[in-house]
Structure formats: structure tokens, C-alpha cells
Amino acid sequence: MNSTISNSLDLGNQKIYPKGKIFYQLPVPTLIEHAILNQEGVLTDCGALAADTGKFTGRSPKDRYIIYDDKTRDTIWWGDINQALEPKYYERLSAKMRDYITHINLYVRDGYVCAEKKHRLTLRVITESAYQNIFAHHLFMRPSLEEKLSSIDWTILAIPSFEADPAIDGVKNKNFVIINFTERVVLIGGTGYTGEIKKSIFSILNYLLPIEKGILSMHCSANVGNEGGDTALFFGLSGTGKTTLSADEKRMLVGDDEHGWSDELIFNFEGGCYAKCVGLTEEKEPQIFNAIRFGTLLENVCMSGVSCTPDYQNISKTENTRAAYPVHFIKGAIEPGIAGHPKNIFFLTADAFGVLPPISKLNIAQAMYHFISGYTAKVAGTEAGIVEPTATFSACFGKAFLPLHPAKYATILGEKLEKHQVQTWLVNTGWIGGAYGVGKRIPLVYTRNLIQSALNGELDTVDYQNHLVFGLAYPKSCPNVPSDILSPRDSWKDKDAYFTQANKLAEAFAANFKQYEEKLSAKIIEAAPKVRVVSF
């Protein structure tokens, strides 16, 4: 069924009068038909639609802009993350895009974000491609068939075939993402990567919720025990296990990526999941594997030979292969995505230096320090030019999406940790026994057992020891985990080499943290690792 809304569309305070067709709120099976007919993708033998996003297979953060005007001038954390764009350039690009789309067919999807109704933000997503509209259907929350949104708070216009002219449009490249807080419009052009749609809305929530409502917006996954009452949050950058570890068959998924923490509860921003597929197997990640079925959108996943069987080991297109599906495709997921205050928070890091313990207990000052640091490591082969482990820091585990200074988010976090007596853990899902290339990556089963022991209170009664450089308290024993891997120092054969590596990482932490210190208390700064002279 092809639905239409009218011969006009609202784009902020502007009207668009398309001459092409407007396909409104099409059901997913119909969108899949459109995508195949439009040659946007193919149907795989598991039923999922596999689409290519074109030249861009990931976000382009250096091509994201925020309009610099009276609303944002004194509130945005301006810099390389939040690049300012003058209103005149927005007006020019907006006019050019409005004219451009009058000549093409459009797919329109109305939905909303924030599972907690009193914080709901309504959206209209206008896309050029059917697969983009499937993504919007899955990732944002869906009105019921009987529900009609009375008004639209924000409009997103995503047109991959429209490109900017850097010579006159005020942007660096032909592709762009522009957020206008005054007009409440997002313009996305020159890229078909759907993650730009999702993360632009996350950036908007990261601005509005802390400023207007004192809500902590978080780049984290969340789950809760089957009996309820023991919510857990998982923070982590790409490749650290955030989605994998929160998709636990013994617990109910609240959401896999973005949440808010209000005075009353935790709530999911989204209505779906956007899981990485690289190396996916049913054995390792059964919930995600089984969520890939008819209706699921696969992005940039290669097929096996001439068949239509997804090959999750093949990353010749990109390592950033993805699956987008509604959250109810995960067995036992909670809808709406609402849960109580967390009892445990896990900061996940893939430490390729082999320095950090597999799990450590943090006090509040340490939690705020590591939250602002947002550390993980990249290893050889993940990006061009990386030939050895490289420390990577992303404030609040999502620096690219923070319109406000990280101190704002960390302050709210610290207040909530203290008020609700939440235990925070730092979990190393990376290397033990040596750095990348020498040691080995900690087996996923051990990480799961460590987290399970933290959740059920078994780590509350064991003995701890303190890391000499990082000051972290880590357990000497844990059920179902070999004791010889709990101490990173003891898992290395060369103890002197271990402390050389630990000091090197401590120096990287200190260098990164200097940019934030002027807005932070001495107590948080004191939680930093200390370079030590240790020999054996």
C-alpha cells in the first residue's frame, strides 16, 4: 500500500511542494519491495534486506555542523567536535535541498524518541531511499496504528544524492550533517550511511535533556534481571562489547545504545538496535544472530560467493557492517524500554596494551575520571596507518555526540552515583598477558562471568588489591574465572616490561585529561593514574 500525506511537507518553518510521490508510513514489507525495485539492496536467504550505503560506510564526524546563532552561541561546546556554521549557509543549503527534492520521490516516517512519555520528542524523517526509511522505522519509536502524532518537534531530511558545493556552501566537503536547534531541522546530504540519522538525534537529546531537564543522556546499553530491580548500564566505544554484553539471555534488554537517566528511572531513547555484525556467529552472540530475519536491515554485509547468504567474516567493504532491527526482535526485550535506577554500571574498554585488570571496582571520583576519559585502544589493521596499539579517548564514551562540555555530563553522573549508591566497574575486554601481538584477548566467557559475579554480588565478599599505577581495586578471585588472569601484572612474564607499558598508558591518560581539568574538581583530577618507578 502506498500512502501519501499531502502535496506538501514541513521543513522547519518552510514548506516543500514535491512533484514526485510521497510514500508515508509504509509498512516494512512494502519498503523492502521498494528497496529491491529501486536496486537499493537484495533479500538474503535469512530474510533480511542487505543494502549498501554507498561511498560512506560510517559516520563522517568532521563534516558535522551546528548552526551558530542566538540559541547556541553561549551553550555549545564549540571546537573540532561541534563545528559552527553561520545561518546564511544553512539557509542557502536548505533552499537548494528543498528545490532538489521537489523532483524526486520521498519516503516519510513519523515517530518519536524517549520511551518515557513526558520526555518524548516527535520526529519526521524524510528520506530519499526506502532502506533509510526502514532504518528510521526500526531505530526510532513507532506510533501505534491508532496513534497519530499531533505535532512534529524535529524534522530530519536525509538525501544521499544531494551534495553541497564547498566553494560556496560554507562546508568542507560535498557530504554534510547540519543541526539547526532554532529551526529544529537536521539536513543530511551526500551520504547514505544511516548512522548519521540516528546519531544526529542523539546529539540533539544530549543538548536538550541535560540543559532543560537535568537528565543524564548516555551512550550506553542497558539490561535488567528477569526478576527486575537490578538494572545495569554498559558504556563503551565501538568494539568493546557494549551491544554483545548487554544482549544476555539471562537478562532482559532495555536498549543497546542510548538512554536517559532521570530523577525517576532509566529510559531508552530508541525503538531498535544497530548491532555490529563483524565476526557474528550464532554461538557467540545468539540473540543478535537470531534477530537477523525478515524485516532486519543489513548494511554493507558481503554475501558468501554467488549466494544470498550473509558472510559476517568478510569485511572487504568495511569492518563497520551493521544490522538494524526493532528491539522486540531480541527475545525478552522490554517495551517500552523503561527500568529502575541502576545498581551497577560497567565501563568497557578494549585495552590493547594489556595493562588494565579484567575488572576493577571504582569509587565515585574514579568513575567520573574514567567516564570523562572514555578510554579504549585501536589495534593494528583497524585503521590505515595504525601499526601498533594506539590509545583512544572519547569523553563520556561518546565525545562525537556531545554538544555540551563533558564536565556537564560527568557532574550529573557523579550526583546520581552518590544519590542512588550505584557501583561502577571498569571492565577490560581487551588483552591480558601482554600487549596486542604478544598477549591474548580475554575470552568472552570470562568477561561474562566477571560481569555476572558483579551483578549477583559475588564480588562484594572477595579480597581486593590495588593497582600500583592506576590505583584500581581489582578482585583476587572470582567464581568461574581463573585467578591467574585477574591480576594483569601477574599474567605478564616480564614484570618490568609490564610496568613500562602501564606508565606509558598512564602518561597517555594524563595528556588527554589536561583539556578538561579547568572545569573539574581536584578530587576527580586526583583519581588519575600515577607514573611509578617499579622494578623486579
Side-chain angles (χ1 to χ4, degrees), residues 59 118 130 162 175 177 273 297 299 375 461 471 489-490 500 510:
R59 290 182 307 100
K118 65 181 179 179
F162 177 83
N175 60 296
V177 177
C273 302
L297 172 66
E299 290 185 351
Y375 164 70
T461 56
R489 176 190 64 187
D490 294 339
T500 298

Side-chain angles (χ1 to χ4, degrees), residues 92-108:
R92 178 181 295 164
L93 265 173
S94 177
K96 288 166 65 175
M97 286 188 81
R98 290 199 307 274
D99 178 67
Y100 182 86
I101 65 175
T102 60
H103 305 288
I104 63 176
N105 295 336
L106 297 171
Y107 295 88
V108 180

Side-chain angles (χ1 to χ4, degrees), residues 111-306:
Y112 60 92
V113 286
C114 299
E116 173 55 68
K117 286 186 177 180
K118 65 181 179 179
H119 304 311
R120 179 181 293 184
L121 202 68
T122 56
L123 310 173
R124 171 161 290 173
V125 186
I126 304 170
T127 67
E128 178 179 7
S129 302
Y131 82 86
Q132 294 173 289
N133 216 252
I134 294 172
F135 177 87
H137 172 276
H138 291 346
L139 266 295
F140 300 132
M141 294 180 176
R142 301 160 286 278
S144 65
L145 293 176
E146 302 77 24
E147 185 180 5
K148 187 172 183 179
L149 304 182
S150 58
S151 63
I152 300 297
D153 295 318
W154 277 79
T155 303
I156 304 98
L157 183 59
I159 311 296
S161 66
F162 177 83
E163 296 180 333
D165 181 350
I168 61 173
D169 290 329
V171 294
K172 298 175 184 175
N173 295 299
K174 293 180 179 180
N175 60 296
F176 58 87
V177 177
I178 300 172
I179 301 174
N180 189 324
F181 281 97
T182 299
E183 297 288 338
R184 296 184 298 179
V185 171
V186 179
L187 303 180
I188 302 173
T191 172
Y193 181 65
T194 56
E196 298 284 22
I197 299 172
K198 163 188 162 77
K199 290 306 185 186
S200 64
I201 296 303
F202 185 43
S203 297
I204 290 164
L205 292 172
N206 281 338
Y207 178 83
L208 297 177
L209 294 180
I211 286 182
E212 296 181 356
K213 301 186 177 185
I215 291 172
L216 178 61
S217 52
M218 305 177 293
H219 189 207
C220 70
S221 57
N223 66 23
V224 64
N226 290 327
E227 302 300 320
D230 63 339
T231 306
L233 305 181
F234 299 81
F235 291 81
L237 303 177
S238 180
T240 59
K242 178 164 56 75
T243 298
T244 298
L245 292 168
S246 61
D248 185 338
E249 291 180 310
K250 298 177 182 177
R251 296 172 64 82
M252 298 179 290
L253 182 70
V254 181
D256 83 325
D257 196 42
E258 301 170 7
H259 294 81
W261 188 354
S262 70
D263 289 338
E264 296 83 23
L265 44 76
I266 297 290
F267 60 94
N268 193 357
F269 288 166
E270 300 180 309
C273 302
Y274 194 40
K276 289 193 77 170
C277 295
V278 57
L280 179 65
T281 64
E282 186 173 13
E283 180 184 11
K284 289 183 179 179
E285 301 174 81
Q287 287 194 307
I288 296 173
F289 186 90
N290 292 320
I292 299 175
R293 56 183 194 263
F294 183 75
T296 295
L297 172 66
L298 292 176
E299 290 185 351
N300 304 311
V301 173
C302 295
M303 297 299 111
S304 179
V306 295

Side-chain angles (χ1 to χ4, degrees), residues 59-69 72-86 170 172 177-181 199-208 211 395-396 398-409 515-516:
R59 290 182 307 100
S60 183
K62 293 188 181 300
D63 295 301
R64 171 184 169 277
Y65 304 87
I66 295 175
I67 299 303
Y68 184 87
D69 58 17
T72 60
R73 183 177 295 109
D74 299 321
T75 53
I76 295 292
W77 179 40
W78 299 110
D80 60 338
I81 295 299
N82 299 302
Q83 301 177 98
L85 189 69
E86 294 180 36
K172 298 175 184 175
V177 177
I178 300 172
I179 301 174
N180 189 324
F181 281 97
K199 290 306 185 186
S200 64
I201 296 303
F202 185 43
S203 297
I204 290 164
L205 292 172
N206 281 338
Y207 178 83
L208 297 177
I211 286 182
C396 308
K399 183 179 180 181
F401 321 118
L402 303 184
L404 309 176
H405 191 282
K408 175 67 175 179
Y409 307 98
Q515 63 186 305
Y516 308 120

Side-chain angles (χ1 to χ4, degrees), residues 416-438:
K416 291 186 178 295
L417 292 179
E418 186 169 9
K419 180 178 180 180
H420 301 291
Q421 295 297 293
V422 184
Q423 180 57 61
T424 306
W425 307 85
L426 182 65
V427 177
N428 176 18
T429 62
W431 277 255
I432 55 174
Y436 173 80
V438 177

